[in-house]
Amino acid sequence: MPAGHGLRSRTRDLFSRPFRKKGYIPLSTYLRTYKIGDYVDVKVNGAVHKGMPHKFYHGRTGRVWNITKRAIGVEVNKQVGNRIIRKRIHVRVEHVQPSRCTEEFKLRKIKNDQLKAEAKAKGEVISTKRQPEGPKPGFMVEGAMLETVTPIPYDVVNDLKGGY
Amino acid sequence: MPYVKAQKSKAYFKRYQVKFKRRREGKTDYRARNRLINQDKNKYNTPKYRLVARFTNKDIVAQIIHASISGDIVLAAAYAHELPRYGLEVGLTNYAAAYCVGLLLARRTLKQLEMDAEYEGNVEATGEDFTVEPAETRRPFRALLDVGLIRTTTGNRVFGVLKGALDGGIDIPHSDKRFAGFNKDSKQLDPEVHRKYIYGGHVAAYMRNLMEDEPEKYQSHFSEYIKRSIEPDTIEGMYKKVHAAIRASPEAKKSEKAPTKEHKRYNLKKLSYEERKAKLIDRLKALNSAAGVDNDSDEDD
């Protein structure tokens, strides 16, 4: 029999639920709210059969462009041939998680605003740009023992272990 | 001892997946809860309120709750043990008391939301099916009935709570199929029978029955009623007064409780991470000083 290429082909392990996490899915997935423009991760939940994305989108992150009663429209990048297309899919909320990719950026934004406000109050000019890690500073090596290593002359007797 | 084959092997325990905690306790039906809580995503943060009605052996609990990730939030609650404040002291878990609790909860939430002047609901309880009409300025407060794990049979007391809340002015989608007095054959609600139940008519009928046939059982069963000299004929009047009192002042009253005493601790208190680490360092120090070796630098890793 030839190999099928159906919608859910080769997803035996990908869509299976993790060990000891089968059955009812926790209700917090239904209580989360999403807004247009949020970043979300697409992660298929094999327990819910409706509104499943295709296996290609499992593990992708995209932005929300549409919200309906029970599903969310996500815009995901897909490479087709020599170009990247922005694909729009609709996925039920059980297969979506809020993404943490922008979390660090959002926190930094808040902190920078705070720092800038403080600096403005004090009247000093600060730069909130991130600097890349520079080269490591120099240091003195402490407590090093000098050990001279020389090659030892070849010894036939030692190398033939019991074989002669 | 005879050899007993072990039923639950180590493998069994390793592979066992526990159900959700509240399911293990047998308190929550997650299938129903899922459908009650799920809010349309295009309604964003609009809360979905549910009217929770639970019965214990001696009390009735009615709450308006909406769900959140950190835990459900109760908007307002009403208990049957508050009814003595309105003049009802006996029969706190019967159908009539359930109606009173539902009514109390509805008036309380509407007063809290300052909608009680607009939505009077059904002032005179007639037992007919009553649905709130939307007023001009604000739409009615909407909640969904959450029965929990009880079997929804016709005439169940949770529907007494439902009827009380409806007559109080809350919009709850329902049908009259499960109210007391619904006739299965004719598929119609008999409002007279329902009205009888709301005013405790069924209790009064039983009282009259016992007074005639078994006076001793009447004395033992309805002893609290007799103590407060409540006759079968006065029951309806009593409930009418309770309804009026509820509508007059539905606010919750804060109860004064004495500050809780400190009890003696019988089990060991769990130490925090820092406390346990400190304890370990002390133990090592003591060991090393006893052995006579000074190794303090090793413990501070």
Side-chain angles (χ1 to χ4, degrees):
Chain A
M1 265 192 72
H5 300 292
L7 193 59
R8 285 183 62 166
S9 76
R10 305 165 196 181
T11 58
R12 178 181 185 169
D13 293 322
L14 188 65
F15 285 179
S16 66
R17 298 288 290 138
F19 182 55
R20 290 196 300 159
K21 296 230 164 71
K22 301 204 199 335
Y24 261 100
I25 68 180
L27 295 190
S28 52
T29 34
Y30 296 100
L31 289 174
R32 285 192 209 281
T33 53
Y34 299 95
K35 296 209 298 288
I36 297 185
D38 286 351
Y39 282 91
V40 291
D41 300 333
V42 174
K43 184 169 172 216
V44 172
N45 186 326
V48 180
H49 302 144
K50 290 194 171 188
M52 251 195 208
H54 184 258
K55 67 174 186 286
F56 168 79
Y57 299 102
H58 180 91
R60 309 278 160 183
T61 307
R63 291 178 68 238
V64 177
W65 64 279
N66 185 21
I67 300 187
T68 65
K69 206 162 99 147
R70 298 264 180 256
I72 294 183
V74 186
E75 206 173 45
V76 180
N77 288 339
K78 181 176 187 182
Q79 179 174 9
V80 179
N82 61 344
R83 67 202 190 284
I84 298 183
I85 302 183
R86 289 214 305 261
K87 301 211 73 166
R88 297 188 147 188
I89 55 172
H90 279 99
V91 179
R92 261 193 177 226
V93 296
E94 296 92 333
H95 309 290
V96 151
Q97 286 173 355
S99 180
R100 291 184 64 185
C101 58
T102 47
E103 178 182 316
E104 189 248 336
F105 169 64
K106 286 197 194 117
L107 289 177
R108 198 162 53 84
K109 234 173 40 161
I110 295 172
K111 200 159 71 84
N112 282 349
D113 289 341
Q114 206 182 28
L115 288 173
K116 282 196 207 153
E118 282 172 15
K120 195 157 178 199
K122 279 192 254 172
E124 54 189 41
V125 178
I126 54 162
S127 164
T128 52
K129 285 184 191 282
R130 293 174 293 174
Q131 291 297 335
E133 242 180 76
K136 280 196 292 215
F139 59 99
M140 294 291 280
V141 180
E142 301 275 329
M145 296 288 299
L146 279 181
E147 189 182 329
T148 311
V149 180
T150 51
I152 55 173
Y154 180 63
D155 196 356
V156 183
V157 180
N158 259 349
D159 285 337
L160 299 167
K161 292 195 198 358
Y164 105 106
Chain B
M1 214 183 90
Y3 176 71
V4 181
K5 183 167 175 184
Q7 287 292 85
K8 292 198 218 159
S9 63
K10 192 163 165 192
Y12 167 82
F13 287 114
K14 278 188 160 206
R15 300 195 60 82
Y16 187 73
Q17 179 187 340
V18 287
K19 299 184 172 39
F20 289 163
K21 182 164 98 143
R22 286 215 117 213
R23 168 65 191 87
R24 275 178 277 141
E25 292 171 3
K27 288 186 186 171
T28 306
D29 173 5
Y30 277 96
R31 185 170 189 273
R33 184 176 157 84
N34 205 342
R35 284 153 178 74
L36 278 168
I37 284 179
N38 208 346
Q39 174 71 289
D40 299 351
K41 290 292 153 256
N42 42 12
K43 293 188 186 160
Y44 299 100
N45 274 325
T46 316
K48 208 167 188 176
Y49 295 103
R50 46 190 236 275
L51 169 73
V52 167
R54 300 282 187 270
F55 286 78
T56 71
N57 279 342
K58 295 186 198 168
D59 198 359
I60 308 178
V61 181
Q63 296 167 313
I64 303 260
I65 304 183
H66 67 277
S68 85
I69 295 186
S70 35
D72 289 1
I73 301 174
V74 179
L75 192 65
Y79 299 86
H81 61 69
E82 295 180 42
L83 290 178
R85 199 181 130 207
Y86 298 96
L88 180 66
E89 278 150 13
V90 281
L92 292 179
T93 54
N94 61 25
Y95 197 96
Y99 180 89
C100 295
V101 172
L103 180 64
L104 176 57
L105 178 67
R107 297 313 297 167
R108 197 171 272 177
T109 46
L110 290 178
K111 180 132 196 186
Q112 202 175 349
L113 301 167
E114 285 155 30
M115 284 178 17
D116 56 341
E118 280 177 70
Y119 289 103
E120 283 286 331
N122 204 359
V123 186
E124 173 73 35
T126 54
E128 279 171 3
D129 194 10
F130 170 79
T131 331
V132 186
E133 305 281 312
E136 302 85 51
T137 44
R138 284 171 78 163
R139 282 177 297 139
F141 181 80
R142 192 183 180 92
L144 307 171
L145 181 66
D146 179 349
V147 291
L149 294 162
I150 61 124
R151 186 78 186 87
T152 49
T153 50
T154 319
N156 198 311
R157 292 170 293 168
V158 287
F159 301 111
V161 176
L162 173 66
K163 186 80 180 111
L166 286 170
D167 286 354
I170 291 187
D171 179 19
I172 305 176
H174 66 283
S175 95
D176 52 3
K177 183 166 146 193
R178 290 298 175 198
F179 285 137
F182 184 82
N183 197 326
K184 244 193 343 184
D185 308 317
S186 73
K187 298 241 187 335
Q188 274 206 346
L189 175 68
D190 184 356
E192 276 307 309
V193 176
H194 198 198
R195 189 185 175 288
K196 209 162 74 90
Y197 270 78
I198 290 174
Y199 284 112
H202 56 306
V203 179
Y206 188 51
M207 277 171 91
R208 288 191 195 99
N209 205 344
L210 279 189
M211 275 203 291
E212 294 239 349
D213 299 338
E214 291 170 72
E216 306 94 38
K217 189 164 174 202
Y218 173 73
Q219 292 293 334
S220 74
H221 198 94
F222 286 103
S223 59
E224 293 289 315
Y225 283 72
I226 295 171
K227 226 192 287 184
R228 289 171 178 78
S229 57
I230 296 177
E231 302 277 307
D233 306 318
T234 60
I235 283 187
E236 178 162 335
M238 177 177 76
Y239 280 112
K240 277 213 174 82
K241 276 213 229 91
V242 174
H243 296 167
I246 288 177
R247 278 186 185 271
S249 74
E251 316 79 49
K253 192 171 77 128
K254 277 250 176 235
S255 63
E256 287 103 43
K257 278 198 237 172
T260 50
K261 299 190 308 184
E262 274 281 319
H263 290 284
K264 174 176 161 207
R265 234 205 129 85
Y266 288 100
N267 52 0
L268 294 173
K269 188 155 189 230
K270 237 177 142 177
L271 300 175
S272 73
Y273 182 66
E274 279 89 44
E275 284 169 0
R276 272 182 272 141
K277 265 204 132 169
K279 237 182 144 187
L280 178 64
I281 293 176
D282 291 337
R283 264 196 5 238
L284 285 173
K285 280 212 180 101
L287 262 176
N288 283 332
S289 61
V293 180
D294 196 10
N295 262 340
D296 274 337
S297 55
D298 293 345
E299 296 143 7
D300 291 341
D301 291 335

